[in-house]
Amino acid sequence: MKTALIVYCSPAGSTRHVAQVIGDRLEEEAVTVHRLDLAITKDPSRYVGLLKTAGADACLFVGSPVYRDMAIPPVMAFLEDLPEGIGCPAVPFITWGGASSGIALWQMGKALESKGCTLAGAAKVLGVHSMMWPSDNPVGQGHPDADDDRQIGRLIDRLTKTPADTLSFEVLDYQPAAVGAEGKKKLEQPWTIIPKTVDEEKCTQCAICKQVCPVGAVTLDPGPVFSDRCFDCFNCVRECPEDAIVPAVPLEKIDANIRKRVAKFDERPYTQIF
Ligand SMILES: Cc1cc2nc3c(=O)[nH]c(=O)nc-3n(C[C@H](O)[C@H](O)[C@H](O)COP(=O)(O)O)c2cc1C
């Protein structure tokens, strides 16, 4: 591998951390790394051109957090917009909050396979659950940690130091049948979000909600208005200094539901390299 493109979206930072570790380790192995944060770069086509030019010497890394068992819409939109037959080796990676990693890796793998990519490797990495920021003990607290980073390092070692290997995309279908089937059913349903209201007494129109939205879904009129690009990352709710953005489901109830799902799935291992 001579060139790598690392594409990701990371509303709360864990997926960005993994992307950073991947990029830093690749650079240690003298790979030329291009990093593409989908929240910043709106037109990825120039970067995708790099992959075409580098051909088999290039590798595409694509990272997403898991939301409701799936990869998030900006990442899937990037994959769907890739040119047909791009055909490079690829490494999807996800971070998940310890409830269920669902079918996100499988879903990303399917999209990559449909563009003619081969699977060089993949990673599932535990991250602190990004819906649980008010809690003193969020699920996944402290993750990704040093051991997670070491596992990512081992993946990069394998990708750069041993002859290129191709995995079957089937390895990404790792969930028990019932969990996998439930996740795949969700793909047929519209993306759901928890509606939010704005407490106009509290809102000072400071525009932080607009700045922290990774997909430009917030406009001010004069308080925040959310477009249908919103995919429910909760950055606006989390970062509002006045707590003026109020989700229809209280955060305590969301917290309790997540903990129930953690107990129900009891998914292991937390971090896994393929
Ligand atoms: C709306 C929403 C839905 C989520 N759904 C799941 C889920 O189904 N399973 C899970 O384990 N974690 C879930 N999480 C937690 C994230 O996957 C996890 O915290 C991830 O590391 C966040 O990545 P980021 O920090 O790059 O944004 C969800 C978080 C949000 C905000």
Side-chain angles (χ1 to χ4, degrees), residues 9-17 64-70 72 94-102 125-131 139 144 186 191 194 231-235 238 258 261:
C9 185
S10 180
S14 291
T15 313
R16 180 177 310 108
H17 171 90
S64 175
V66 177
Y67 280 18
R68 301 192 183 91
D69 300 346
M70 295 172 280
I72 60 174
I94 54 169
T95 66
W96 65 300
S100 169
S101 68
V125 181
L126 183 64
V128 59
H129 201 298
S130 54
M131 285 281 245
V139 178
K186 287 188 185 169
W191 188 264
I194 298 172
F231 64 93
D232 234 8
C233 74
F234 271 61
N235 271 7
R238 182 172 45 234
I258 294 167
R261 285 176 68 77

Short mmCIF file of all heavy atoms in Angstrom, two decimals, residues 9-17 64-70 72 94-102 125-131 139 144 186 191 194 231-235 238 258 261, ligand 1:
data_model
loop_
_atom_site.label_atom_id
_atom_site.label_comp_id
_atom_site.label_asym_id
_atom_site.label_seq_id
_atom_site.Cartn_x
_atom_site.Cartn_y
_atom_site.Cartn_z
N CYS A 9 -17.03 10.17 9.30
CA CYS A 9 -17.84 11.21 9.91
C CYS A 9 -17.93 10.85 11.39
O CYS A 9 -18.15 9.69 11.73
CB CYS A 9 -19.24 11.25 9.28
SG CYS A 9 -20.25 12.61 9.92
N SER A 10 -17.73 11.83 12.26
CA SER A 10 -17.60 11.52 13.68
C SER A 10 -18.18 12.64 14.53
O SER A 10 -17.46 13.48 15.04
CB SER A 10 -16.12 11.32 14.02
OG SER A 10 -15.97 11.02 15.39
N PRO A 11 -19.50 12.64 14.69
CA PRO A 11 -20.12 13.74 15.44
C PRO A 11 -19.52 13.95 16.83
O PRO A 11 -19.33 15.08 17.26
CB PRO A 11 -21.59 13.33 15.51
CG PRO A 11 -21.79 12.49 14.30
CD PRO A 11 -20.51 11.72 14.12
N ALA A 12 -19.19 12.86 17.53
CA ALA A 12 -18.73 13.02 18.93
C ALA A 12 -17.24 12.70 19.12
O ALA A 12 -16.75 12.81 20.24
CB ALA A 12 -19.58 12.15 19.85
N GLY A 13 -16.53 12.30 18.08
CA GLY A 13 -15.07 12.23 18.16
C GLY A 13 -14.44 10.85 18.24
O GLY A 13 -13.24 10.73 18.00
N SER A 14 -15.18 9.79 18.59
CA SER A 14 -14.53 8.47 18.72
C SER A 14 -14.07 7.93 17.37
O SER A 14 -12.97 7.37 17.25
CB SER A 14 -15.48 7.46 19.38
OG SER A 14 -15.69 7.81 20.72
N THR A 15 -14.90 8.08 16.36
CA THR A 15 -14.53 7.58 15.03
C THR A 15 -13.35 8.39 14.48
O THR A 15 -12.45 7.85 13.83
CB THR A 15 -15.74 7.64 14.08
OG1 THR A 15 -16.88 7.10 14.76
CG2 THR A 15 -15.51 6.87 12.81
N ARG A 16 -13.34 9.69 14.80
CA ARG A 16 -12.21 10.53 14.39
C ARG A 16 -10.92 10.04 15.06
O ARG A 16 -9.86 9.97 14.43
CB ARG A 16 -12.45 12.00 14.78
CG ARG A 16 -11.29 12.92 14.37
CD ARG A 16 -11.54 14.39 14.67
NE ARG A 16 -12.83 14.81 14.16
CZ ARG A 16 -13.91 15.08 14.91
NH1 ARG A 16 -13.85 15.02 16.21
NH2 ARG A 16 -15.03 15.43 14.35
N HIS A 17 -11.02 9.64 16.32
CA HIS A 17 -9.85 9.12 17.02
C HIS A 17 -9.31 7.88 16.28
O HIS A 17 -8.10 7.76 16.06
CB HIS A 17 -10.21 8.78 18.47
CG HIS A 17 -9.12 8.04 19.18
ND1 HIS A 17 -8.11 8.67 19.86
CD2 HIS A 17 -8.84 6.70 19.25
CE1 HIS A 17 -7.27 7.77 20.34
NE2 HIS A 17 -7.70 6.57 20.00
N SER A 64 -17.48 4.93 10.31
CA SER A 64 -18.79 5.46 10.74
C SER A 64 -19.07 5.05 12.18
O SER A 64 -18.70 3.96 12.59
CB SER A 64 -19.90 4.86 9.86
OG SER A 64 -21.18 5.26 10.32
N PRO A 65 -19.75 5.90 12.93
CA PRO A 65 -20.34 5.42 14.18
C PRO A 65 -21.57 4.56 13.87
O PRO A 65 -22.13 4.68 12.78
CB PRO A 65 -20.78 6.71 14.90
CG PRO A 65 -20.60 7.83 13.96
CD PRO A 65 -20.06 7.30 12.66
N VAL A 66 -21.96 3.73 14.82
CA VAL A 66 -23.20 2.94 14.67
C VAL A 66 -24.34 3.72 15.31
O VAL A 66 -24.24 4.11 16.49
CB VAL A 66 -23.05 1.58 15.39
CG1 VAL A 66 -24.35 0.78 15.31
CG2 VAL A 66 -21.89 0.79 14.82
N TYR A 67 -25.37 3.98 14.54
CA TYR A 67 -26.60 4.59 15.08
C TYR A 67 -27.74 3.63 14.80
O TYR A 67 -27.97 3.27 13.64
CB TYR A 67 -26.93 5.92 14.38
CG TYR A 67 -26.17 7.14 14.82
CD1 TYR A 67 -24.98 7.07 15.54
CD2 TYR A 67 -26.65 8.40 14.50
CE1 TYR A 67 -24.31 8.22 15.93
CE2 TYR A 67 -25.99 9.56 14.87
CZ TYR A 67 -24.81 9.46 15.59
OH TYR A 67 -24.14 10.61 15.95
N ARG A 68 -28.46 3.26 15.84
CA ARG A 68 -29.60 2.35 15.69
C ARG A 68 -29.22 1.16 14.81
O ARG A 68 -29.91 0.84 13.84
CB ARG A 68 -30.81 3.08 15.11
CG ARG A 68 -31.24 4.23 16.00
CD ARG A 68 -32.57 4.81 15.65
NE ARG A 68 -32.81 5.93 16.53
CZ ARG A 68 -32.46 7.18 16.24
NH1 ARG A 68 -31.92 7.48 15.08
NH2 ARG A 68 -32.69 8.15 17.10
N ASP A 69 -28.09 0.58 15.14
CA ASP A 69 -27.57 -0.64 14.50
C ASP A 69 -27.01 -0.42 13.09
O ASP A 69 -26.60 -1.38 12.44
CB ASP A 69 -28.65 -1.76 14.41
CG ASP A 69 -29.15 -2.18 15.78
OD1 ASP A 69 -28.51 -1.83 16.78
OD2 ASP A 69 -30.20 -2.86 15.83
N MET A 70 -27.04 0.81 12.59
CA MET A 70 -26.64 1.04 11.19
C MET A 70 -25.50 2.05 11.10
O MET A 70 -25.22 2.79 12.04
CB MET A 70 -27.84 1.57 10.41
CG MET A 70 -28.98 0.58 10.28
SD MET A 70 -30.47 1.31 9.55
CE MET A 70 -31.18 2.16 10.94
N ILE A 72 -24.08 5.62 9.60
CA ILE A 72 -24.85 6.87 9.54
C ILE A 72 -24.99 7.38 8.09
O ILE A 72 -24.15 7.10 7.24
CB ILE A 72 -24.25 7.96 10.46
CG1 ILE A 72 -22.81 8.30 10.09
CG2 ILE A 72 -24.37 7.54 11.91
CD1 ILE A 72 -22.25 9.49 10.89
N ILE A 94 -15.92 0.83 12.21
CA ILE A 94 -17.02 1.46 12.95
C ILE A 94 -16.60 1.66 14.41
O ILE A 94 -15.75 0.95 14.93
CB ILE A 94 -18.32 0.59 12.93
CG1 ILE A 94 -18.04 -0.85 13.42
CG2 ILE A 94 -18.93 0.59 11.55
CD1 ILE A 94 -19.30 -1.66 13.68
N THR A 95 -17.22 2.66 15.03
CA THR A 95 -17.20 2.69 16.49
C THR A 95 -18.65 2.53 16.95
O THR A 95 -19.58 2.97 16.28
CB THR A 95 -16.60 3.99 17.07
OG1 THR A 95 -17.44 5.10 16.75
CG2 THR A 95 -15.19 4.22 16.55
N TRP A 96 -18.82 1.86 18.07
CA TRP A 96 -20.16 1.57 18.59
C TRP A 96 -20.15 1.84 20.08
O TRP A 96 -19.09 1.84 20.72
CB TRP A 96 -20.57 0.13 18.27
CG TRP A 96 -19.74 -0.93 18.95
CD1 TRP A 96 -18.40 -1.11 18.83
CD2 TRP A 96 -20.20 -1.93 19.86
NE1 TRP A 96 -17.99 -2.17 19.60
CE2 TRP A 96 -19.08 -2.69 20.25
CE3 TRP A 96 -21.45 -2.25 20.38
CZ2 TRP A 96 -19.17 -3.76 21.14
CZ3 TRP A 96 -21.54 -3.32 21.26
CH2 TRP A 96 -20.42 -4.05 21.64
N GLY A 97 -21.32 2.05 20.66
CA GLY A 97 -21.40 2.47 22.05
C GLY A 97 -21.67 1.37 23.05
O GLY A 97 -22.16 1.64 24.15
N GLY A 98 -21.40 0.12 22.69
CA GLY A 98 -21.53 -0.97 23.66
C GLY A 98 -22.93 -1.54 23.77
O GLY A 98 -23.17 -2.46 24.55
N ALA A 99 -23.89 -1.01 22.99
CA ALA A 99 -25.25 -1.57 23.02
C ALA A 99 -25.36 -2.69 21.99
O ALA A 99 -25.59 -3.84 22.33
CB ALA A 99 -26.28 -0.47 22.74
N SER A 100 -25.17 -2.35 20.71
CA SER A 100 -25.08 -3.36 19.66
C SER A 100 -24.37 -2.71 18.47
O SER A 100 -24.70 -1.58 18.09
CB SER A 100 -26.47 -3.83 19.22
OG SER A 100 -26.36 -4.60 18.04
N SER A 101 -23.43 -3.44 17.90
CA SER A 101 -22.78 -2.89 16.70
C SER A 101 -23.62 -3.17 15.46
O SER A 101 -23.28 -2.73 14.36
CB SER A 101 -21.37 -3.46 16.54
OG SER A 101 -21.43 -4.84 16.23
N GLY A 102 -24.73 -3.90 15.67
CA GLY A 102 -25.73 -4.08 14.61
C GLY A 102 -25.14 -4.61 13.32
O GLY A 102 -24.29 -5.50 13.32
N VAL A 125 -14.76 -1.01 16.82
CA VAL A 125 -14.05 -0.46 17.98
C VAL A 125 -15.07 0.12 18.96
O VAL A 125 -15.94 0.90 18.57
CB VAL A 125 -13.06 0.65 17.54
CG1 VAL A 125 -12.30 1.20 18.74
CG2 VAL A 125 -12.08 0.11 16.50
N LEU A 126 -14.91 -0.25 20.23
CA LEU A 126 -15.81 0.32 21.23
C LEU A 126 -15.49 1.80 21.46
O LEU A 126 -14.32 2.19 21.57
CB LEU A 126 -15.64 -0.45 22.55
CG LEU A 126 -16.59 0.00 23.69
CD1 LEU A 126 -18.05 -0.28 23.33
CD2 LEU A 126 -16.24 -0.71 25.01
N GLY A 127 -16.55 2.62 21.51
CA GLY A 127 -16.39 4.04 21.84
C GLY A 127 -17.36 4.38 22.96
O GLY A 127 -18.36 3.68 23.16
N VAL A 128 -17.10 5.45 23.68
CA VAL A 128 -18.06 5.86 24.70
C VAL A 128 -19.39 6.18 24.00
O VAL A 128 -19.41 6.75 22.90
CB VAL A 128 -17.52 7.08 25.49
CG1 VAL A 128 -17.25 8.27 24.59
CG2 VAL A 128 -18.48 7.48 26.60
N HIS A 129 -20.50 5.76 24.62
CA HIS A 129 -21.80 5.95 23.96
C HIS A 129 -22.15 7.44 23.90
O HIS A 129 -22.28 8.10 24.92
CB HIS A 129 -22.90 5.18 24.70
CG HIS A 129 -24.09 4.94 23.82
ND1 HIS A 129 -24.84 5.96 23.29
CD2 HIS A 129 -24.63 3.80 23.34
CE1 HIS A 129 -25.81 5.46 22.53
NE2 HIS A 129 -25.70 4.14 22.55
N SER A 130 -22.31 7.94 22.68
CA SER A 130 -22.42 9.40 22.49
C SER A 130 -23.78 9.97 22.86
O SER A 130 -23.98 11.18 22.82
CB SER A 130 -22.05 9.76 21.05
OG SER A 130 -22.82 9.01 20.13
N MET A 131 -24.74 9.10 23.24
CA MET A 131 -26.03 9.61 23.72
C MET A 131 -26.04 9.74 25.24
O MET A 131 -27.04 10.14 25.83
CB MET A 131 -27.16 8.64 23.33
CG MET A 131 -27.53 8.69 21.89
SD MET A 131 -28.58 10.10 21.57
CE MET A 131 -30.09 9.29 21.11
N VAL A 139 -21.88 4.02 29.06
CA VAL A 139 -21.38 2.76 28.52
C VAL A 139 -20.19 3.08 27.60
O VAL A 139 -20.22 4.07 26.85
CB VAL A 139 -22.51 2.04 27.74
CG1 VAL A 139 -21.99 0.75 27.11
CG2 VAL A 139 -23.69 1.76 28.65
N PRO A 144 -12.41 4.89 22.71
CA PRO A 144 -11.36 3.93 22.47
C PRO A 144 -10.18 4.18 23.40
O PRO A 144 -9.80 5.34 23.60
CB PRO A 144 -10.96 4.17 21.00
CG PRO A 144 -12.02 5.03 20.40
CD PRO A 144 -12.65 5.76 21.53
N LYS A 186 -34.25 -2.93 9.41
CA LYS A 186 -34.23 -1.47 9.62
C LYS A 186 -33.79 -0.73 8.36
O LYS A 186 -34.16 0.42 8.15
CB LYS A 186 -33.29 -1.11 10.77
CG LYS A 186 -33.84 -1.47 12.12
CD LYS A 186 -32.95 -0.91 13.21
CE LYS A 186 -33.45 -1.39 14.57
NZ LYS A 186 -32.56 -1.13 15.66
N TRP A 191 -35.09 6.54 7.89
CA TRP A 191 -34.24 6.91 9.02
C TRP A 191 -35.09 7.71 10.01
O TRP A 191 -35.69 8.71 9.64
CB TRP A 191 -33.07 7.77 8.52
CG TRP A 191 -32.04 8.02 9.57
CD1 TRP A 191 -31.96 9.13 10.36
CD2 TRP A 191 -30.97 7.17 9.95
NE1 TRP A 191 -30.89 9.00 11.22
CE2 TRP A 191 -30.26 7.82 10.99
CE3 TRP A 191 -30.52 5.92 9.52
CZ2 TRP A 191 -29.13 7.27 11.60
CZ3 TRP A 191 -29.41 5.37 10.12
CH2 TRP A 191 -28.73 6.04 11.15
N ILE A 194 -35.42 11.56 16.72
CA ILE A 194 -36.23 11.99 17.86
C ILE A 194 -36.49 13.49 17.66
O ILE A 194 -35.54 14.28 17.58
CB ILE A 194 -35.47 11.74 19.18
CG1 ILE A 194 -35.21 10.25 19.37
CG2 ILE A 194 -36.23 12.33 20.36
CD1 ILE A 194 -34.30 9.91 20.54
N PHE A 231 -29.62 13.82 11.18
CA PHE A 231 -29.67 12.37 11.36
C PHE A 231 -29.54 12.00 12.84
O PHE A 231 -29.24 10.88 13.19
CB PHE A 231 -28.62 11.64 10.49
CG PHE A 231 -27.19 11.96 10.82
CD1 PHE A 231 -26.47 11.18 11.71
CD2 PHE A 231 -26.56 13.06 10.26
CE1 PHE A 231 -25.15 11.47 12.02
CE2 PHE A 231 -25.24 13.36 10.57
CZ PHE A 231 -24.53 12.57 11.45
N ASP A 232 -29.78 13.00 13.72
CA ASP A 232 -29.96 12.72 15.14
C ASP A 232 -28.65 12.49 15.90
O ASP A 232 -28.62 11.70 16.85
CB ASP A 232 -30.86 11.49 15.34
CG ASP A 232 -32.03 11.80 16.25
OD1 ASP A 232 -32.21 12.99 16.59
OD2 ASP A 232 -32.77 10.87 16.62
N CYS A 233 -27.59 13.19 15.55
CA CYS A 233 -26.33 12.95 16.27
C CYS A 233 -26.34 13.57 17.66
O CYS A 233 -25.50 13.26 18.50
CB CYS A 233 -25.13 13.45 15.47
SG CYS A 233 -24.93 15.24 15.44
N PHE A 234 -27.26 14.50 17.88
CA PHE A 234 -27.43 15.14 19.19
C PHE A 234 -26.31 16.13 19.53
O PHE A 234 -26.23 16.59 20.65
CB PHE A 234 -27.57 14.10 20.31
CG PHE A 234 -29.00 13.68 20.53
CD1 PHE A 234 -29.73 13.07 19.54
CD2 PHE A 234 -29.63 13.92 21.75
CE1 PHE A 234 -31.05 12.69 19.73
CE2 PHE A 234 -30.95 13.55 21.95
CZ PHE A 234 -31.66 12.93 20.95
N ASN A 235 -25.43 16.44 18.56
CA ASN A 235 -24.39 17.44 18.86
C ASN A 235 -25.03 18.76 19.31
O ASN A 235 -24.53 19.42 20.22
CB ASN A 235 -23.53 17.72 17.61
CG ASN A 235 -22.36 16.77 17.52
OD1 ASN A 235 -22.25 15.84 18.32
ND2 ASN A 235 -21.48 16.99 16.55
N ARG A 238 -26.27 18.41 22.86
CA ARG A 238 -25.15 18.27 23.79
C ARG A 238 -24.39 19.58 23.97
O ARG A 238 -23.98 19.95 25.07
CB ARG A 238 -24.19 17.19 23.26
CG ARG A 238 -23.01 16.92 24.17
CD ARG A 238 -22.19 15.70 23.72
NE ARG A 238 -21.95 15.69 22.30
CZ ARG A 238 -22.23 14.69 21.49
NH1 ARG A 238 -22.77 13.60 21.96
NH2 ARG A 238 -21.97 14.76 20.21
N ILE A 258 -30.81 2.41 26.59
CA ILE A 258 -29.50 1.94 26.11
C ILE A 258 -28.99 0.84 27.05
O ILE A 258 -28.51 -0.21 26.62
CB ILE A 258 -28.48 3.10 26.03
CG1 ILE A 258 -28.90 4.09 24.95
CG2 ILE A 258 -27.07 2.57 25.74
CD1 ILE A 258 -28.15 5.43 25.00
N ARG A 261 -30.52 -2.38 26.38
CA ARG A 261 -30.00 -3.02 25.16
C ARG A 261 -28.62 -3.63 25.41
O ARG A 261 -28.29 -4.69 24.88
CB ARG A 261 -29.94 -2.01 24.00
CG ARG A 261 -31.32 -1.71 23.43
CD ARG A 261 -31.27 -0.64 22.36
NE ARG A 261 -30.58 -1.03 21.14
CZ ARG A 261 -31.08 -1.81 20.19
NH1 ARG A 261 -32.29 -2.31 20.32
NH2 ARG A 261 -30.38 -2.10 19.12
C1 LIG B 1 -28.60 8.56 17.71
C2 LIG B 1 -27.55 7.60 18.20
C3 LIG B 1 -27.78 6.25 18.05
C4 LIG B 1 -26.82 5.32 18.49
N1 LIG B 1 -27.08 4.00 18.30
C5 LIG B 1 -26.20 3.07 18.76
C6 LIG B 1 -26.45 1.66 18.59
O1 LIG B 1 -27.42 1.23 17.95
N2 LIG B 1 -25.57 0.80 19.14
C7 LIG B 1 -24.46 1.22 19.84
O2 LIG B 1 -23.73 0.39 20.36
N3 LIG B 1 -24.17 2.54 19.95
C8 LIG B 1 -25.00 3.47 19.42
N4 LIG B 1 -24.71 4.81 19.54
C9 LIG B 1 -23.41 5.21 20.11
C10 LIG B 1 -22.35 5.47 19.05
O3 LIG B 1 -22.30 4.45 18.09
C11 LIG B 1 -20.96 5.54 19.67
O4 LIG B 1 -20.93 6.37 20.78
C12 LIG B 1 -19.93 5.98 18.64
O5 LIG B 1 -18.64 5.69 19.12
C13 LIG B 1 -20.03 7.47 18.36
O6 LIG B 1 -19.08 7.83 17.40
P1 LIG B 1 -18.53 9.31 17.26
O7 LIG B 1 -17.95 9.67 18.60
O8 LIG B 1 -17.51 9.19 16.19
O9 LIG B 1 -19.68 10.18 16.90
C14 LIG B 1 -25.62 5.76 19.09
C15 LIG B 1 -25.40 7.14 19.25
C16 LIG B 1 -26.35 8.05 18.79
C17 LIG B 1 -26.08 9.52 18.94
#
